[in-house]
Short mmCIF file of all heavy atoms in Angstrom, two decimals:
data_model
loop_
_atom_site.label_atom_id
_atom_site.label_comp_id
_atom_site.label_asym_id
_atom_site.label_seq_id
_atom_site.Cartn_x
_atom_site.Cartn_y
_atom_site.Cartn_z
N ALA B 165 95.65 57.06 91.34
CA ALA B 165 95.60 58.11 92.35
C ALA B 165 95.71 59.49 91.71
O ALA B 165 95.01 60.43 92.08
CB ALA B 165 96.70 57.90 93.38
N THR B 166 96.61 59.61 90.72
CA THR B 166 96.77 60.88 90.02
C THR B 166 95.49 61.27 89.30
O THR B 166 95.04 62.43 89.37
CB THR B 166 97.92 60.79 89.01
OG1 THR B 166 99.13 60.44 89.70
CG2 THR B 166 98.13 62.11 88.30
N GLU B 167 94.89 60.30 88.61
CA GLU B 167 93.65 60.58 87.89
C GLU B 167 92.54 60.98 88.86
O GLU B 167 91.74 61.89 88.58
CB GLU B 167 93.23 59.36 87.08
CG GLU B 167 94.17 59.04 85.92
CD GLU B 167 93.72 57.82 85.12
OE1 GLU B 167 92.77 57.16 85.58
OE2 GLU B 167 94.32 57.56 84.08
N ILE B 168 92.47 60.31 90.00
CA ILE B 168 91.42 60.61 90.98
C ILE B 168 91.59 62.02 91.53
O ILE B 168 90.63 62.80 91.59
CB ILE B 168 91.45 59.58 92.11
CG1 ILE B 168 91.02 58.20 91.59
CG2 ILE B 168 90.54 60.01 93.26
CD1 ILE B 168 91.43 57.06 92.48
N VAL B 169 92.81 62.36 91.93
CA VAL B 169 93.05 63.68 92.52
C VAL B 169 92.70 64.78 91.52
O VAL B 169 92.03 65.76 91.84
CB VAL B 169 94.52 63.81 92.97
CG1 VAL B 169 94.84 65.25 93.31
CG2 VAL B 169 94.79 62.90 94.16
N VAL B 170 93.13 64.60 90.26
CA VAL B 170 92.93 65.65 89.27
C VAL B 170 91.49 65.67 88.76
O VAL B 170 90.85 66.73 88.70
CB VAL B 170 93.91 65.47 88.10
CG1 VAL B 170 93.62 66.48 86.99
CG2 VAL B 170 95.34 65.63 88.58
N GLN B 171 90.96 64.49 88.39
CA GLN B 171 89.63 64.45 87.79
C GLN B 171 88.53 64.77 88.79
O GLN B 171 87.50 65.34 88.43
CB GLN B 171 89.37 63.07 87.18
CG GLN B 171 90.19 62.77 85.95
CD GLN B 171 89.80 61.44 85.31
OE1 GLN B 171 88.78 60.86 85.63
NE2 GLN B 171 90.64 60.94 84.42
N GLN B 172 88.74 64.42 90.06
CA GLN B 172 87.64 64.53 91.01
C GLN B 172 87.92 65.60 92.08
O GLN B 172 87.13 66.52 92.26
CB GLN B 172 87.37 63.16 91.63
CG GLN B 172 86.99 62.14 90.55
CD GLN B 172 86.68 60.77 91.12
OE1 GLN B 172 86.00 60.66 92.13
NE2 GLN B 172 87.17 59.73 90.48
N PHE B 173 89.03 65.51 92.78
CA PHE B 173 89.30 66.50 93.80
C PHE B 173 89.50 67.89 93.19
O PHE B 173 89.06 68.89 93.76
CB PHE B 173 90.56 66.12 94.60
CG PHE B 173 90.28 65.13 95.68
CD1 PHE B 173 90.59 63.79 95.50
CD2 PHE B 173 89.70 65.52 96.88
CE1 PHE B 173 90.33 62.87 96.49
CE2 PHE B 173 89.44 64.60 97.87
CZ PHE B 173 89.75 63.28 97.69
N LEU B 174 90.16 67.97 92.05
CA LEU B 174 90.39 69.27 91.43
C LEU B 174 89.29 69.62 90.43
O LEU B 174 88.67 70.69 90.51
CB LEU B 174 91.76 69.28 90.74
CG LEU B 174 92.12 70.55 89.97
CD1 LEU B 174 92.12 71.76 90.90
CD2 LEU B 174 93.48 70.39 89.29
N SER B 175 89.03 68.72 89.47
CA SER B 175 88.14 69.05 88.36
C SER B 175 86.68 69.19 88.78
O SER B 175 85.98 70.09 88.30
CB SER B 175 88.24 67.97 87.28
OG SER B 175 89.54 67.90 86.77
N GLN B 176 86.20 68.34 89.67
CA GLN B 176 84.77 68.35 90.00
C GLN B 176 84.32 69.65 90.64
O GLN B 176 83.42 70.32 90.12
CB GLN B 176 84.42 67.14 90.87
CG GLN B 176 84.42 65.84 90.09
CD GLN B 176 83.75 64.71 90.84
OE1 GLN B 176 83.26 64.88 91.94
NE2 GLN B 176 83.73 63.53 90.25
N PRO B 177 84.92 70.06 91.75
CA PRO B 177 84.45 71.34 92.32
C PRO B 177 84.81 72.53 91.44
O PRO B 177 84.02 73.47 91.30
CB PRO B 177 85.16 71.41 93.68
CG PRO B 177 86.34 70.52 93.54
CD PRO B 177 85.93 69.43 92.60
N LEU B 178 86.01 72.48 90.82
CA LEU B 178 86.43 73.59 89.98
C LEU B 178 85.48 73.79 88.81
O LEU B 178 85.05 74.92 88.51
CB LEU B 178 87.85 73.34 89.47
CG LEU B 178 88.43 74.39 88.51
CD1 LEU B 178 88.55 75.74 89.21
CD2 LEU B 178 89.78 73.93 87.98
N THR B 179 85.12 72.70 88.14
CA THR B 179 84.24 72.79 86.98
C THR B 179 82.85 73.26 87.38
O THR B 179 82.24 74.09 86.70
CB THR B 179 84.15 71.43 86.26
OG1 THR B 179 85.47 70.99 85.94
CG2 THR B 179 83.34 71.54 84.98
N SER B 180 82.32 72.74 88.48
CA SER B 180 81.00 73.15 88.93
C SER B 180 80.94 74.64 89.20
O SER B 180 80.00 75.33 88.79
CB SER B 180 80.60 72.37 90.18
OG SER B 180 80.43 71.00 89.89
N TRP B 181 81.95 75.16 89.88
CA TRP B 181 81.95 76.58 90.21
C TRP B 181 82.21 77.44 88.98
O TRP B 181 81.60 78.51 88.83
CB TRP B 181 82.99 76.86 91.29
CG TRP B 181 82.54 76.41 92.64
CD1 TRP B 181 82.99 75.34 93.35
CD2 TRP B 181 81.51 76.99 93.45
NE1 TRP B 181 82.32 75.20 94.54
CE2 TRP B 181 81.41 76.22 94.63
CE3 TRP B 181 80.66 78.09 93.29
CZ2 TRP B 181 80.50 76.50 95.64
CZ3 TRP B 181 79.75 78.38 94.31
CH2 TRP B 181 79.68 77.59 95.46
N LEU B 182 83.09 76.99 88.08
CA LEU B 182 83.34 77.75 86.86
C LEU B 182 82.09 77.81 85.99
O LEU B 182 81.79 78.84 85.39
CB LEU B 182 84.50 77.14 86.08
CG LEU B 182 85.91 77.37 86.65
CD1 LEU B 182 86.95 76.65 85.80
CD2 LEU B 182 86.25 78.86 86.73
N LEU B 183 81.35 76.70 85.92
CA LEU B 183 80.11 76.70 85.15
C LEU B 183 79.07 77.63 85.76
O LEU B 183 78.28 78.26 85.05
CB LEU B 183 79.55 75.28 85.06
CG LEU B 183 80.27 74.31 84.11
CD1 LEU B 183 79.72 72.90 84.28
CD2 LEU B 183 80.11 74.76 82.67
N ALA B 184 79.08 77.72 87.08
CA ALA B 184 78.14 78.63 87.74
C ALA B 184 78.47 80.09 87.42
O ALA B 184 77.57 80.94 87.37
CB ALA B 184 78.18 78.41 89.25
N ILE B 185 79.76 80.36 87.18
CA ILE B 185 80.18 81.72 86.82
C ILE B 185 80.01 81.94 85.32
O ILE B 185 79.30 82.83 84.87
CB ILE B 185 81.63 81.97 87.25
CG1 ILE B 185 81.78 81.80 88.77
CG2 ILE B 185 82.11 83.35 86.81
CD1 ILE B 185 83.21 81.79 89.26
N SER B 186 80.71 81.10 84.54
CA SER B 186 80.64 81.17 83.07
C SER B 186 81.22 79.88 82.50
O SER B 186 82.36 79.50 82.84
CB SER B 186 81.42 82.37 82.54
OG SER B 186 81.48 82.32 81.13
N ALA B 187 80.45 79.24 81.64
CA ALA B 187 80.93 77.98 81.04
C ALA B 187 82.18 78.19 80.20
O ALA B 187 82.96 77.25 79.98
CB ALA B 187 79.83 77.36 80.20
N ALA B 188 82.40 79.41 79.71
CA ALA B 188 83.56 79.68 78.87
C ALA B 188 84.86 79.40 79.60
O ALA B 188 85.83 78.91 79.00
CB ALA B 188 83.53 81.13 78.38
N TRP B 189 84.91 79.70 80.90
CA TRP B 189 86.13 79.44 81.67
C TRP B 189 86.41 77.93 81.76
O TRP B 189 87.55 77.50 81.57
CB TRP B 189 85.99 80.03 83.07
CG TRP B 189 86.08 81.52 83.10
CD1 TRP B 189 85.04 82.40 83.15
CD2 TRP B 189 87.27 82.31 83.04
NE1 TRP B 189 85.49 83.69 83.14
CE2 TRP B 189 86.87 83.67 83.08
CE3 TRP B 189 88.63 82.01 82.97
CZ2 TRP B 189 87.77 84.72 83.05
CZ3 TRP B 189 89.54 83.05 82.95
CH2 TRP B 189 89.12 84.38 82.98
N ALA B 190 85.39 77.15 82.05
CA ALA B 190 85.59 75.70 82.16
C ALA B 190 85.97 75.09 80.82
O ALA B 190 86.90 74.26 80.74
CB ALA B 190 84.31 75.05 82.68
N LEU B 191 85.30 75.49 79.75
CA LEU B 191 85.58 74.91 78.43
C LEU B 191 86.93 75.37 77.90
O LEU B 191 87.63 74.62 77.21
CB LEU B 191 84.46 75.28 77.46
CG LEU B 191 83.05 74.80 77.87
CD1 LEU B 191 82.02 75.24 76.84
CD2 LEU B 191 83.03 73.30 78.05
N GLY B 192 87.35 76.60 78.22
CA GLY B 192 88.67 77.06 77.81
C GLY B 192 89.78 76.31 78.52
O GLY B 192 90.79 75.93 77.90
N LEU B 193 89.62 76.07 79.81
CA LEU B 193 90.60 75.29 80.56
C LEU B 193 90.67 73.86 80.04
O LEU B 193 91.76 73.25 79.98
CB LEU B 193 90.24 75.30 82.05
CG LEU B 193 91.20 74.58 82.99
CD1 LEU B 193 92.61 75.14 82.90
CD2 LEU B 193 90.68 74.64 84.43
N ASN B 194 89.53 73.31 79.65
CA ASN B 194 89.49 71.97 79.08
C ASN B 194 90.33 71.88 77.81
O ASN B 194 91.11 70.95 77.61
CB ASN B 194 88.04 71.60 78.77
CG ASN B 194 87.86 70.15 78.41
OD1 ASN B 194 88.58 69.29 78.88
ND2 ASN B 194 86.90 69.87 77.55
N THR B 195 90.20 72.87 76.95
CA THR B 195 90.98 72.92 75.71
C THR B 195 92.47 72.95 76.00
O THR B 195 93.26 72.21 75.40
CB THR B 195 90.58 74.16 74.89
OG1 THR B 195 89.17 74.13 74.64
CG2 THR B 195 91.33 74.20 73.56
N ALA B 196 92.88 73.81 76.93
CA ALA B 196 94.30 73.95 77.25
C ALA B 196 94.87 72.67 77.85
O ALA B 196 96.00 72.27 77.55
CB ALA B 196 94.49 75.12 78.21
#
Side-chain angles (χ1 to χ4, degrees):
T166 301
E167 292 180 352
I168 292 161
V169 169
V170 174
Q171 290 185 14
Q172 300 181 43
F173 278 101
L174 177 60
S175 299
Q176 287 194 1
L178 178 63
T179 305
S180 293
W181 285 107
L182 287 177
L183 285 172
I185 300 170
S186 173
W189 287 99
L191 300 179
L193 182 58
N194 190 32
T195 304

